[in-house]
Each structure stands twice: as C-alpha cells, then as structure tokens.
Amino acid sequence: MADRPDYDVAILGGGLAGLSLAVRLAELPDLRTLILEPRTGYARDRTWSSWRLLHHPFAEAVTASWAHWEIRHRDTGGRAGTVRQTSAAMPYQMIPSDRLWQVAEARLRTAPQIELALGRRALALQEATDRVAITTESGTVTAGLVFDSRPPEGGPGDLVQRFVGQEVATAGPVFDPGCATLMDFTVPQLPGVVHFLYVLPTSPHEALVEDTWFAPAGAALPDSRATIRSYLAERYGVADYRVGFEEQGAIPMSPDLQAPRTTGRVIPIGAAGGALKPSSGYGFLTIQRMADELAAGLAAGRRPAPFQPRGRTAQWMDRVFLFALQQRPDLAPDLFASLFAQCRPEPLIRFLHDVGGPADVARVVAAMPKRPMIAAAAGMLWRRTASP
Ligand SMILES: Cc1cc2nc3c(=O)[nH]c(=O)nc-3n(C[C@H](O)[C@H](O)[C@H](O)COP(=O)(O)OP(=O)(O)OC[C@H]3O[C@@H](n4cnc5c(N)ncnc54)[C@H](O)[C@@H]3O)c2cc1C
C-alpha cells in the first residue's frame, strides 16, 4: 500500500449534498478530492424550493422568488379560508436541479484538485486505520476521508411524504406569480392521510403544481396526474394545458431514520446524514449548513465530526408533530393554518430549518393549537412507557 491514499477526500454521490460540499472544497487547493457519481450526466430531475434564509453558493441558480405565500384550508364548518404570509427579507425561492448542476460544474472546472468521476459507482467500503478503500466497478481507490451521500439503507419507516409535480403551461393567464401556494387543503381528503396541493407559479401561464400526500408507507393513493388535472379545472378553470418537466419523490417522515450509517473515516452527508427534516422533507438549506460546517473543519485541518442537523428540542418537537399527524391526520389543515396564521414568518422559517433560537421556538409553540399537540405529547409518552 502506498504511503498516501490516492485522495485526501472522496465524496460518494454527486447529488445535492456531494456537490454542495465539493463547491466549498474548491476553495481548498491542497485537498485532493474525488467525487464518485453513477450518473453519466446531469439532467433536471427535481426542483429545490426553500426560503432565502442563509447565504449559499447557488444564489445564481434561483429562477423564481415569492415574497408572499399562502395556506388554503377549510375550517371545521367546511368554510374555505386562506392564510397569507409576506416576507421581503426571506422570500420563498425555487432552484431547478439542472441550474444548480451548471453552477456547481462551472465552479469545479476551476478547481483542478477536484475530480468529478461520472458513471462511477461506489460498491463497497473498507475502513483501515489511515484510509478507506472504495471498491468501484472499475477498481479500488483509497481516500483519507469519505463523505457518503449514497441513499440511506432500510425501509421508509411508518409515514412517507409522496408527491408528483408537473410543470404546466396554460394558454391563458391564470396564475398569480406573486404568491406561492404552499399547501392547499381544500382538495378531496381521504381517511388516515394528509393531502394537499402545492403551486409555485412562475408566470401567469406557468406553474409547478405538486400533488402531495403524507401517508403510511405502502398506502394506495389516487392517481396524482388526474388529481392535478381536476385541481387545475376547479381552482383555475383550466381544461387544456401542456405538461413539461415532471418530478416525483417519496421522502421518509420518520425521526428514527437519522442514525448515521458509519463513523470514523466515513461521514454520512445529505439525506443519508439525516439532513431532511422528518416533519416536512425540507433539506436544501440544512445541506448547505452541513457543507459549510464540514468544509470549515477541513479548512482548519481537522477531521470533521458528523454534522448534527438539529438539536434535541427540534427532534422532540418533530416527533410530537409527526405523532399528532399520524394519530389525527384530519387535523393537519387546522394545524398548519394556525401555525402560519399565528406566527410571524421569520421565526417560523428559522424554526422550520432548525436554526431557530429559544424565542423562535416559543413563538412557534404559542402558535400551535394546544389540544392536539398536548394530546400527541401525552400519547407519545404513554406509548413509550407502555412499550416493553
Ligand atoms: C423530487 C424531489 C424534490 C425535492 N424538493 C425539495 C425541495 O423543494 N426543498 C427541499 O428542501 N428539499 C427537497 N427535496 C429533499 C432533498 O433536498 C433532496 O432529496 C436532496 O437532493 C437530497 O440531497 P442528497 O445529496 O442527500 O441526495 P441526492 O441529491 O439524491 O444525491 C445522492 C447521489 O448519490 C448518488 N449515488 C447513488 N448510489 C451511489 C453509489 N453507489 N455510489 C456513488 N453515488 C451514488 C446518486 O446518483 C445521487 O446523485 C426533494 C427531494 C426530491 C426527491
């Protein structure tokens, strides 16, 4: 075995987490870095949306921005209502994945110490005292440190966020590009699941429309494309439209799936490192924080410890929230509407991304409907005490 490993750092997976970290490592010319990515090229496969909460290197990949957003719901009497929030300081923003790849690839081209190996998959890892051997289809490479963003192993857990999104173009102007609909609960509901539509209008003629469910793993759900068709007809009076890009996903909503896969010289990152918030599926900004922290450790010459995406309070609140959603999915519209109606946007946005301070947490707790949350906390405690 040679004295030095082949690379100082290997990143397994050139997806969001892998490229986010690599772009930061482009600032460290002495760190020989290899990225292994099975895809042979990048095409758009998803859209990241989130609020403008912190600086990150992909600002130029933002294609649309909304200073207003709304939650549409029905109250217990069946009356439709809309909760609107506005924040010029923290608008909601959209980044199509192909735009992010372009920004990342352009940055990596200027960093000769980083090798992006497309079409190459990590098959197995073997850790030794001073290096990790990575088996790929075309031989073994070694690295001093491995950041592993390969999809997490194991099942999806009890509850899954499933969604199908379509970018639609209509003949007439029907959308309001000034306001994003984060959740529209006025759509047909089914017992035992949470269902809403999500609409990001990018012009009066175009929008990304997503049919979203929080449902038990394996639940049979109605066809999302048909649901989007009926929704466009009912809300906007649109019968004919073109579908361009389409995306879909299934994100586990279990707080128990956060355990890192390995320790030592293999550090899990991205979804594999627990970055996706179990109660919402948001991960973009947490992955940016993760990349900043890990790169700062490497820049200081340290072997970074695995990033902890959220503290104990946030984990506990996620558990209670998910327990409440599982026990009483019918209360979800009121719960979200109350949260967005009662809490100012900025504390809520910080809380939703696990960077809220105690004052933010207190504001969010005050905005939550008390009875279902207390019932969920008590039910969770009871289940834990009762289980052997
Ligand atoms: C359709 C979709 C939409 C989403 N929208 C949002 C959103 O709007 N906002 C938000 O905050 N979050 C969103 N998320 C959640 C989250 O931000 C994304 O899943 C994000 O891409 C996670 O980043 P990652 O790097 O962990 O995983 P990925 O981006 O999936 O990257 C993992 C990479 O590992 C590679 N890989 C797989 N196997 C191997 C192997 N054996 N060896 C090496 N590499 C391998 C894959 O090819 C892939 O490139 C969305 C998720 C999906 C699926």
Side-chain angles (χ1 to χ4, degrees):
M1 199 177 265
D3 279 335
R4 287 180 74 192
D6 302 325
Y7 296 90
D8 300 308
V9 166
I11 298 175
L12 311 186
L16 177 63
L19 291 182
S20 296
L21 179 60
V23 161
R24 272 77 169 182
L25 299 190
E27 310 293 327
L28 305 180
D30 296 332
L31 214 63
R32 298 163 307 137
T33 299
L34 171 69
I35 309 165
L36 292 173
E37 168 54 49
R39 281 179 279 183
T40 50
Y42 287 111
R44 180 168 176 198
D45 68 346
R46 64 194 65 180
T47 314
W48 291 293
S49 300
S50 214
W51 287 271
R52 191 180 67 198
L53 175 61
L54 44 93
H55 291 290
H56 59 71
F58 303 113
E60 61 186 285
V62 170
T63 54
S65 204
W66 300 267
H68 310 281
W69 51 88
E70 64 185 12
I71 307 280
R72 290 158 54 92
H73 66 114
R74 285 188 202 289
D75 65 18
T76 37
R79 283 177 300 271
T82 302
V83 172
R84 253 197 181 209
Q85 282 196 329
T86 297
S87 175
M90 292 185 192
Y92 199 67
Q93 300 190 313
M94 171 197 267
I95 298 182
S97 60
D98 52 341
R99 296 291 286 259
L100 185 136
W101 312 140
Q102 283 163 12
V103 173
E105 281 183 307
R107 182 69 189 97
L108 297 185
R109 268 198 301 276
T110 67
Q113 79 279 16
I114 300 185
E115 190 183 322
L116 174 58
L118 293 178
R120 211 166 167 199
R121 179 185 303 275
L123 298 175
L125 306 184
Q126 193 168 14
E127 247 183 286
T129 46
D130 66 340
R131 67 194 65 200
V132 182
I134 306 154
T135 310
T136 75
E137 294 107 330
S138 51
T140 299
V141 287
T142 57
L145 202 55
V146 168
F147 294 100
D148 189 359
S149 76
R150 291 174 299 162
E153 287 157 5
D158 298 343
L159 193 66
V160 182
Q161 178 180 157
R162 279 163 58 184
F163 53 92
V164 172
Q166 294 187 320
E167 236 169 37
V168 301
T170 60
V174 294
F175 301 112
D176 170 9
C179 183
T181 302
L182 297 186
M183 294 173 144
D184 187 344
F185 290 107
T186 65
V187 292
Q189 299 292 332
L190 287 179
V193 296
V194 178
H195 182 212
F196 59 89
L197 267 282
Y198 171 73
V199 185
L200 299 183
T202 47
S203 82
H205 301 264
E206 292 157 305
L208 173 65
V209 184
E210 287 198 357
D211 183 40
T212 309
W213 299 84
F214 298 167
L221 298 173
D223 176 48
S224 284
R225 291 161 192 92
T227 304
I228 291 173
R229 179 163 288 283
S230 328
Y231 181 73
L232 289 171
E234 275 164 40
R235 180 170 175 191
Y236 299 101
V238 167
D240 284 330
Y241 57 91
R242 270 187 304 109
V243 177
F245 167 74
E246 189 173 296
E247 69 181 17
Q248 51 187 299
I251 298 179
M253 300 184 78
S254 169
D256 300 322
L257 293 173
Q258 294 180 21
R261 188 167 19 209
T262 331
T263 53
R265 290 184 177 271
V266 182
I267 298 177
I269 58 170
L276 308 198
K277 191 164 175 69
S279 58
S280 69
Y282 279 111
F284 181 84
L285 290 177
T286 304
I287 287 172
Q288 301 313 308
R289 284 199 290 127
M290 180 181 271
D292 281 338
E293 188 179 302
L294 295 173
L298 290 170
R302 294 194 304 270
R303 186 200 305 177
F307 174 81
Q308 300 300 327
R310 55 198 65 87
R312 282 174 181 278
T313 309
Q315 284 182 37
W316 184 80
M317 288 184 72
D318 254 27
R319 273 176 203 283
V320 174
F321 195 75
L322 286 169
F323 194 83
L325 283 188
Q326 271 179 305
Q327 301 300 306
R328 293 290 310 271
D330 55 308
L331 294 181
D334 283 349
L335 228 147
F336 283 103
S338 167
L339 207 53
F340 279 79
Q342 309 294 330
C343 192
R344 282 198 297 107
E346 292 82 7
L348 181 57
I349 293 166
R350 285 192 290 269
F351 172 83
L352 290 175
H353 292 89
D354 300 313
V355 294
D360 295 327
V361 175
R363 285 196 182 95
V364 170
V365 169
M368 280 180 177
K370 299 292 164 299
R371 282 175 62 180
M373 298 315 285
I374 292 169
M380 225 173 70
L381 206 64
W382 167 248
R383 183 178 279 191
R384 196 166 290 176
T385 326
S387 61

